[in-house]
Amino acid sequence: MTGAITRPEIGWRACAPTAVDTSATTTTAQPSNRQAAWWQIAVTAPDQLRQRVAFALSQILVVSDVALGDDNQAEPLAAYYDILVNGAFGNFRTLLENVTLSPMMGLYLSSLRNAKADPATGQTPDENYAREVQELFTVGKGPGSHYNEDDVQQAAKVLTGWKEDKDKIASFFDPNEHNTENKTFSAF
């Protein structure tokens, strides 16, 4: 490909408020600004195929601020969409890793703050994201999928130890919360 296309980021700068509410004590990104920025870039960016692939990915690797009940997710949502745009033509494994480590996906499918098992309390690793990554994002469900419930439980153990750094809109790894035992998967 000759000449790389530079693309404006949809990140937090695009979500900055267009007007300052003088009665407010803090200034935060607003969902309407994020949506307006997305629409502007999706329609006018010179890399239309990338934008359309990113949109298609957003319909498969779904997150939602509405489901979280929090209107203060504009910046994490914009950062998440940037992952999809940047990974639109890349390696799917890399894209899935970036999606997995995204705080937005971690909040939406409850993989953040996923701690290792605690026999004293009966707590087990959260299986929600582990199940979705196999059922919806990769292997699929139904005839020929070949993963089983043990695979979901093992994947949940692999995904323990991740937490959110809200200031950086990033995830970080806490080795004290990670399950370090060996994990065994079926041969799917």
Side-chain angles (χ1 to χ4, degrees):
M1 184 170 146
T2 59
I5 295 174
T6 56
R7 172 190 80 69
E9 290 295 318
I10 300 178
W12 67 271
R13 287 177 193 85
C15 298
T18 54
V20 176
D21 180 358
T22 55
S23 66
T25 56
T26 61
T27 306
T28 59
Q30 301 297 316
S32 60
N33 294 345
R34 174 187 50 83
Q35 293 162 355
W38 175 84
W39 184 255
Q40 179 68 29
I41 292 168
V43 171
T44 64
D47 57 347
Q48 283 297 295
L49 182 58
R50 177 180 299 277
Q51 297 300 320
R52 291 170 192 216
V53 170
F55 179 74
L57 288 169
S58 77
Q59 302 304 297
I60 299 166
L61 304 168
V62 176
V63 296
S64 171
D65 55 345
V66 175
L68 296 172
D70 186 358
D71 288 338
N72 197 21
Q73 299 294 340
E75 292 176 25
L77 275 168
Y80 180 78
Y81 200 79
D82 281 344
I83 290 170
L84 302 180
V85 171
N86 292 329
F89 296 139
N91 178 291
F92 184 72
R93 189 223 174 272
T94 302
L95 174 64
L96 192 58
E97 179 179 349
N98 292 335
V99 164
T100 298
L101 299 180
S102 163
M104 198 67 223
M105 181 60 80
L107 291 171
Y108 185 62
L109 289 179
S110 64
S111 62
L112 283 179
R113 298 177 303 278
N114 187 15
K116 61 185 174 185
D118 182 352
T121 64
Q123 174 184 317
T124 59
D126 189 308
E127 297 174 4
N128 192 23
Y129 185 72
R131 184 176 316 284
E132 300 302 333
V133 78
Q134 292 175 78
E135 189 174 296
L136 298 178
F137 303 159
T138 58
V139 181
K141 185 177 180 179
S145 65
H146 302 295
Y147 75 92
N148 58 41
E149 190 61 27
D150 288 338
D151 294 324
V152 172
Q153 293 168 358
Q154 297 302 306
K157 292 176 186 177
V158 169
L159 295 167
T160 57
W162 289 98
K163 296 185 177 184
E164 175 187 21
D165 183 339
K166 290 184 181 183
D167 294 333
K168 296 180 182 177
I169 308 177
S171 297
F172 70 93
F173 184 70
D174 180 354
N176 296 321
E177 294 294 331
H178 180 63
N179 180 307
T180 57
E181 66 188 38
N182 289 333
K183 288 88 174 167
T184 304
F185 290 87
S186 66
F188 67 86

